Structures are given as C-alpha cells and as structure tokens.
Amino acid sequence: MEIKIEDAEGQPLLQEKNVSTSGPTRSPVQNAIHQTFRSTAHLANLLPTGTVLTFQLLSPVFTNQGKCNLTNQYLTECLIVLCGISCFVLSFTDSYRDGEGKVRHGLATMNGLWVIDNEDTNNLRPEEATRYRVKFIDLVHAIMSILVFGVVILFDQNVVKCFCPEPSEETKQVLTGLPVGIGVICSMLFIAFPTTRHGIGFPLSPQ
C-alpha cells in the first residue's frame, strides 16, 4: 500500500519541485563591485606577500574587529603606515641566483644592487650589479604598490568601520567608486609597464 503525505493544500510534500540554480541576479553596480574584488585580488599578488599577510592578520586585532576606541585607531594607523612603507621599500628589492644556485636578495641603489644576504665568497661582480640599479619605472611601481595597498585597506571592513562607523551616502559612494578607479588605473599601468623586479616577498623568476 502506497502512503502519500500531503500538505494543507493537498499537494504531496515529497513531490519534486523545479529549483532554480541560477541564483539571484546582480545589478550593474553589484557586478562592477564583484569584478573589482576579483581584479583587486589579482593586483594584490603584485604586493609583498609578507606585508599583505601581516596586515590581514593584525587588522582584526588592532581594530578590535571594527569596534575601535582611540587606542585602536592609533594602532591601526601605525599598522597602515608601516605596511605602506614596507610596500614602497620592498618594491626596490631584487634577487638573483649565485654560482651555487642559491637565491640572493638585495636592495637596488643608484649604483647597482646592494646584496644584503650574500657571503663574501659569492659577491656580485660590479658589472653585474649595475644591471639592477634603480630606474624611474621602479618609483612608478612603488607608488602603484602603495595605491593597490590602499585598495586592500578600503576593502577591509574592520578598518572602514574603525575610522568611519556610520558613513554617509556620499562616503559610501566614494568607498565604492574609489577602489574601482584605482584598480582600473593600476591594472592598465602594470600591464603596460610590467615590473622586472623579483624582490623580497615577490615571485622569483625561473632564471
């Protein structure tokens, strides 16, 4: 004997229903924000890994998960400044492989590469060091790194709530539109003028 379980309207409860899997549709603004998040995630790969991880780990602690007092704001400001300086300085670092195949790191200067973790027996020859000297494009990349790090900060809800707990409609529009503009501009510049540096916290070229 077949037993049927029906609801109050007499419809079987176990009857298969067509369920839409397409999900809710997004508005054009939501699509733009979604694409910005994705592009920013790719841009963040151009930042020093250690700096980004440090910021993401300490941000919830320093901001008290967005519930800031004056001390939390000072700590967060110090964290942002230090991470910003790290993004700028590490943009001038580079690396190479010595005769033994070990990766050596250094800081690019006007005269060449100042190796900071090399042994005396593996010093980089002067003619080789000059290939790593500072160029104007390095300064451009350093500035763009700070801008991209600024986008990461604006997408951090803990930081936003810490400094702007109740944003006005105009502020919300700025917080939404500014990262989009920075992301688009930096994406175009990074594509047009790619970096050749492989410094501390950046991917190393397979040379």
Side-chain angles (χ1 to χ4, degrees):
M1 181 177 64
E2 183 180 359
I3 300 176
K4 295 183 179 180
I5 302 177
E6 300 179 347
D7 59 9
E9 298 179 355
Q11 298 296 331
L13 293 177
L14 300 181
Q15 181 178 0
E16 295 184 359
K17 299 180 180 180
N18 294 328
V19 180
S20 176
T21 58
S22 59
T25 58
R26 295 193 182 100
S27 66
V29 175
Q30 290 175 329
N31 285 329
I33 295 175
H34 178 69
Q35 292 297 328
T36 303
F37 270 108
R38 295 185 59 182
S39 62
T40 304
H42 293 299
L43 280 176
N45 293 331
L46 300 173
L47 297 177
T49 306
T51 301
V52 176
L53 289 178
T54 299
F55 174 78
Q56 292 178 340
L57 289 174
L58 296 181
S59 171
V61 179
F62 282 18
T63 61
N64 193 23
Q65 296 184 349
K67 302 175 182 179
C68 285
N69 54 31
L70 189 59
T71 302
N72 293 123
Q73 290 182 351
Y74 285 147
L75 290 175
T76 305
E77 289 174 356
C78 292
L79 176 64
I80 292 174
V81 170
L82 291 177
C83 289
I85 294 174
S86 175
C87 288
F88 184 85
V89 173
L90 292 180
S91 297
F92 294 93
T93 59
D94 210 334
S95 60
Y96 72 98
R97 296 185 185 275
D98 61 12
E100 298 178 355
K102 296 181 180 180
V103 178
R104 304 296 184 182
H105 295 90
L107 181 66
T109 65
M110 298 300 296
N111 297 323
L113 186 67
W114 175 47
V115 182
I116 59 179
D117 64 346
N118 205 350
E119 300 174 359
D120 294 337
T121 56
N122 293 319
N123 281 334
L124 193 64
R125 293 194 298 271
E127 59 273 15
E128 295 178 349
T130 54
R131 295 192 296 124
Y132 298 92
R133 61 187 177 186
V134 174
K135 302 176 183 178
F136 176 75
I137 192 64
D138 296 325
L139 179 61
V140 175
H141 287 151
I143 295 175
M144 286 193 296
S145 295
I146 294 179
L147 293 176
V148 173
F149 180 66
V151 174
V152 175
I153 294 172
L154 292 177
F155 278 144
D156 192 308
Q157 294 302 311
N158 292 324
V159 175
V160 173
K161 291 179 181 178
C162 180
F163 293 98
C164 194
E166 297 180 359
S168 62
E169 290 299 324
E170 292 78 8
T171 304
K172 290 180 181 178
Q173 293 178 3
V174 172
L175 293 176
T176 302
L178 186 60
V180 174
I182 295 176
V184 171
I185 293 174
C186 290
S187 296
M188 295 174 59
L189 290 176
F190 272 120
I191 293 174
F193 306 101
T195 180
T196 58
R197 301 283 183 190
H198 304 281
I200 300 173
F202 297 92
L204 182 66
S205 61
Q207 297 180 5

